[in-house]
Amino acid sequence: QKEVEQNSGPLSVPEGAIASLNCTYSDRGSQSFFWYRQYSGKSPELIMSIYSNGDKEDGRFTAQLNKASQYVSLLIRDSQPSDSATYLCAVNIGNFNKFYFGSGTKLNVKP
Amino acid sequence: GAVVSQHPSRVICKSGTSVKIECRSLDFQATTMFWYRQFPKQSLMLMATSNEGSKATYEQGVEKDKFLINHASLTLSTLTVTSAHPEDSSFYICSARGRANGKLFFGSGTQLSVL
């Protein structure tokens, strides 16, 4: 079992809709959770970080964490074509020196 | 967010040569830097973890004598691909973790093509 799992997609949503990206993790000792956006041929860019159960909102992005169920999600409201990218979920397990990445979910926002 | 600078962005070299990639944290001190490799349409693969002033910790299957990592200061880590071969062609990305918040910031990546 992989430490972090994501559906590879592609996830297609129309412009203006809400895109929902999900991620599950295996280690209950995980402490920090991150969402990165990666455009083709570019390096990942940090979008959100979340450390405690519940929701965290930043602009059009909302990260949701449920430690009991071991999942973290990212909601993108009012999706734009420029949001089309691969979204990577990352989990920091145990200590700050281990980050595990999911395989990424490809999002396509259609105009 | 914090800035991590990576150079060069693209390298084309002949088989058998060595290539050095630099990763610098520009506005924070990075106690730990990570080196990843990414093949097309695949996720990031952690190669090694580099701690300032100590030897790097390599992931299973990564040859430490082939991928030399040096982390001589709190702002600079280098990855040297020695005797590069075509199968080493990949996108190499460094990342750095700041002291304060544990967030991971990425360099812009280096596309290595070995002919």
Side-chain angles (χ1 to χ4, degrees):
Chain A
Q1 181 186 8
K2 293 182 180 178
E3 289 85 2
V4 181
E5 301 217 44
Q6 293 180 255
N7 188 319
S8 62
L11 172 67
S12 292
V13 299
E15 183 175 356
I18 296 176
S20 177
L21 304 162
N22 299 308
C23 170
T24 59
Y25 59 94
S26 61
D27 193 320
R28 287 192 175 274
S30 303
Q31 298 174 344
S32 308
F33 308 85
F34 307 88
W35 281 101
Y36 288 85
R37 176 175 61 197
Q38 186 176 25
Y39 293 110
S40 181
K42 303 294 184 181
S43 65
E45 171 192 12
L46 180 65
I47 297 176
M48 294 281 290
S49 59
I50 186 167
Y51 305 97
S52 55
N53 278 329
D55 295 0
K56 179 181 178 182
E57 186 175 320
D58 184 2
R60 295 187 296 112
F61 299 98
T62 299
Q64 299 174 318
L65 175 61
N66 185 322
K67 288 190 175 181
S69 301
Q70 293 177 238
Y71 81 78
V72 57
S73 61
L74 179 69
L75 301 178
I76 306 175
R77 290 181 299 282
D78 189 24
S79 295
Q80 302 297 308
S82 59
D83 295 326
S84 298
T86 296
Y87 289 80
L88 300 169
C89 170
V91 175
N92 177 218
I93 297 175
N95 59 63
F96 281 148
N97 282 349
K98 273 293 186 186
F99 286 81
Y100 291 94
F101 283 83
S103 57
T105 298
K106 185 174 177 59
L107 173 66
N108 290 329
V109 180
K110 299 181 177 180
Chain B
V3 179
V4 177
S5 174
Q6 184 174 344
H7 293 280
S9 58
R10 182 178 291 274
V11 179
I12 300 173
C13 68
K14 293 183 178 180
S15 184
T17 59
S18 294
V19 175
K20 179 186 278 189
I21 303 170
E22 288 191 352
C23 181
R24 295 180 184 271
S25 56
L26 297 184
D27 53 358
F28 67 104
Q29 292 183 328
T31 53
T32 305
M33 289 187 172
F34 304 87
W35 288 95
Y36 293 85
R37 181 165 55 185
Q38 188 176 35
F39 293 105
K41 298 185 179 181
Q42 296 188 21
S43 189
L44 301 169
M45 186 191 81
L46 179 64
M47 299 175 66
T49 301
S50 167
N51 292 300
E52 184 264 337
S54 63
K55 290 184 179 180
T57 303
Y58 289 82
E59 295 298 301
Q60 191 173 6
V62 178
E63 298 176 59
K64 63 179 181 180
D65 294 330
K66 180 170 185 61
F67 299 99
L68 302 179
I69 292 173
N70 184 279
H71 193 160
S73 75
L74 285 171
T75 59
L76 174 64
S77 177
T78 61
L79 167 68
T80 301
V81 183
T82 62
S83 187
H85 291 284
E87 57 265 30
D88 297 325
S89 298
S90 184
F91 191 49
Y92 291 86
I93 313 174
C94 73
S95 64
R97 177 182 77 81
R99 286 180 189 261
N101 57 26
K103 293 180 181 179
L104 201 61
F105 296 96
F106 286 87
S108 54
T110 298
Q111 183 63 54
L112 172 63
S113 299
V114 184
L115 305 179

